[in-house]
Structure formats: C-alpha cells, structure tokens
Amino acid sequence: MILIALAGVGAGAINAVVGSGTLITFPTLVALGYPPVTSTMSNAVGLVAGSASGTWGYRRELRGQWHRLRWQLPASFFGAGLGAWLLLHLPEKVFQQIVPVLLILALVLVVIGPRIQDWARRRSEAAGESAEHVSPRKMVMLVIATFAVGIYGGYFTAAQGILLIAAMGALLPEDMQRMNAAKNLLSLVVNIVAAVAYTVVAFDRISWLAAGLIALGSTIGGFLGAHYGRRLSPTALRAFIVVVGLIGLWRLLTI
C-alpha cells in the first residue's frame, strides 16, 4: 500500500511536469502481482485526481489557448472513448502482447522527446510562425494527432503526455510551459473518459484499493509537480522514468 501510494505521488508530479507518470504506477502494480489489464484500469481511475490537480496548477498557462483547445478537447474525448472500447472488447491476450511494444515506444519517446521539441521550435521560428496563427492545414493535423493520442491514452495511458507534447511541438511554435498546460488538460479528459468507461463496464475488474491509493498519492504529486517541478532537472526525471519503465517491461515479459 505504501509503495503504491508513493508511486502515485511520483506519477502525479511527473505527469504535471513532463508526462509519462503511468510508467511509474503501471510497472509498480504489475511488479506487485496485479494483472496487466487490471493494472491499466486501476491506474487510469486513480490518476484522474492527479491529472486534475496538475491541470489546476497550470491553469494560468492555459490562457490564450482556447482557440485550439476547443477543437482538441473533442478529439481527445472521442479518441479516449474508442481506446477504452478497444481495451474492454479485445481479448486480454492481445493487450498482453501489445503492451510491451507500446511501453518500448513510450520509453523511446521519453528519451527523444526533447530533440523533437527543439527541432520543431527551430523550424517554427525559421518560418516566422506564431502560436496565435496556426494554418488550417496544421490545425487539421493537430486535431488528427490529438485524436490518435486519445485512442492510445484510452487503451494504454503510459506516456500519452509525451506523445501530445511531441505532436504539439512538431506543429506549434508554442512555449513549452503552455504546451505542458494544454497537455495536462487533454490528458485529464482522456483519463476521465477511460475511467468512466472502465467503471461502468468493468467495475469488478478494477482494484479499488490500488486506484484509491494512486488517487491519493497523485493528487499530492500533481500539486507538488505543478508548483515545484519546474525546478527539477528534466534529464534526471526522464532517466528515472526510463529505469522504472525498463523494470516494468522486464516484469511484463517474465510474467
């Protein structure tokens, strides 16, 4: 119980700062013996509270972004619904086979995410683009990317924040902190949709003890991440995420 709660604190803080906090809680649950699908469902339910606290902590950075978010929010909503449907209807064997691949993808994105963002920022600056003026073509691409990440997040929540920031960073000449605020809000929508779907359809497959402990820990972690996380080294955070993710990957492949 203590380990799960501490993992929730870490996940809430990391989600608020860089995303991919699920790579802390999901491997922890799997390592403690929870089945992969139960771990994913319990984790999604528990992290809603942490996503909410992290979003609230970054509320100032959301100002001036609603001209884009009014399109991205529905994309995240419907994408998450489709992803949750896939998790609930595909055989558990499919999930066990695809999760290691998704986990590897998530870890790779954690490592190369900063390079993608730096490249996209330089490209936008060279083109003289501004965050307030996004071309219709890029807006369509952004909405499609947000929908695709929503599907991924509804099915397997790990590193959806990294995917969102990578997509926004590649398409928008936006400040990192403002993109992080948008990422927190969109991830919150995905987590809520997934959590509601799992609760309604698979109530008995969720570990409510684990979900409650993660909710408690991630709420605290979300506030800490939003208020103090900017002072931490992103490199150290990413290294910690990769180590924990590799442990979880090893556990998945050996169960």
Side-chain angles (χ1 to χ4, degrees), residues 72 138 252:
Q72 287 182 273
K138 281 194 174 182
L252 280 171

Side-chain angles (χ1 to χ4, degrees), residues 12 14 31 33 64 66 79 85 88 107 110 165 193 210 223 241 251 253:
I14 290 170
W66 295 104
W85 184 88
L88 292 168
L107 291 172
V110 168
I165 287 184
V193 172
F223 280 115
I241 291 170
R251 186 69 178 89
L253 295 175

Side-chain angles (χ1 to χ4, degrees), residues 15 25 29 51 53 62 65 69 85 94 96 102 106 110 120 129 137 139 141 175 194 224 242:
N15 276 340
T25 45
L29 293 179
S51 297
S53 64
L62 287 172
Q65 299 197 62
L69 289 171
W85 184 88
V94 174
Q96 292 174 340
L102 295 176
V110 168
E129 297 177 336
R137 182 178 64 88
M139 181 62 77
M141 293 173 63
D175 174 77
L224 292 175
V242 169

Side-chain angles (χ1 to χ4, degrees), residues 16 53 55 76 82 109 118 168 190 194 197:
S53 64
T55 301
S76 286
L82 178 55
L109 287 168
D118 289 341
M168 289 188 287
V190 171

Side-chain angles (χ1 to χ4, degrees), residues 17 19 46 74 109 115 127 145 151-152 156-157 176 183 189 219 233 235-236:
V17 179
L109 287 168
R115 296 184 181 181
I151 296 174
Y152 171 91
F156 181 60
T157 55
M176 181 63 187
K183 174 266 294 179
V189 171
T219 300
S233 165
T235 302

Side-chain angles (χ1 to χ4, degrees), residues 71-77 79-80 139-152 164 167-168 186 190:
W71 299 103
Q72 287 182 273
L73 287 169
S76 286
F77 180 87
M139 181 62 77
V140 171
M141 293 173 63
L142 182 63
V143 171
I144 292 173
T146 303
F147 177 73
V149 176
I151 296 174
Y152 171 91
L164 280 169
M168 289 188 287
L186 295 170
V190 171

